[in-house]
Amino acid sequence: MYLEIVSPEATIFSSQVDAIIVPGVNGEFEMLKDHAPIVSLLNEGTVKIRVHTQTHLDYDELHPEMEPHMMDNKVLTFKIKSGTLEMKDNKAIILAD
């Protein structure tokens, strides 16, 4: 599936990913390929992005505003203050503050 994380200033992250774990208003939840369409508000917390390998990520494309952290070689994390998520047709967009 494809993920974009967008702030009011710029696109922060844009890449193919295996899974996304987000801090929803009712708790953390995960989305995988072919997830049902969903729109959700996000609370302050950590967005966790699972990738098959680090080579799938183009670090030059990451926006310096949100510094990513690698938990291990397959999970990239971003801190957000709040946001909105839309997932449809294997494309997820997170509008993050």
Side-chain angles (χ1 to χ4, degrees):
M1 88 179 104
Y2 194 80
L3 170 65
E4 284 186 358
I5 300 177
V6 180
S7 76
E9 292 81 29
T11 298
I12 297 166
F13 179 87
S14 182
S15 183
Q16 288 288 332
V17 300
D18 294 337
I20 310 158
I21 301 168
V22 294
V25 292
N26 293 320
E28 187 175 80
F29 65 95
E30 180 175 23
M31 292 164 293
L32 302 169
K33 182 180 177 194
D34 297 326
H35 193 284
I38 186 173
V39 174
S40 177
L41 294 175
L42 303 177
N43 282 338
E44 182 173 354
T46 303
V47 175
K48 300 172 188 163
I49 304 164
R50 295 188 192 278
V51 295
H52 183 66
T53 65
Q54 285 185 16
T55 59
H56 285 116
L57 299 174
D58 185 354
Y59 289 102
D60 293 336
E61 295 296 320
L62 297 179
H63 194 273
E65 174 185 308
M66 283 181 88
E67 186 173 323
H69 296 77
M70 275 305 225
M71 291 175 61
D72 60 32
N73 65 343
K74 296 183 181 179
V75 179
L76 183 67
T77 63
F78 287 96
K79 298 284 187 188
I80 63 169
K81 293 181 183 172
S82 66
T84 305
L85 162 81
E86 179 182 12
M87 170 82 170
K88 183 178 177 186
D89 298 328
N90 284 320
K91 182 175 182 180
I93 299 173
I94 296 175
L95 305 175
D97 291 330

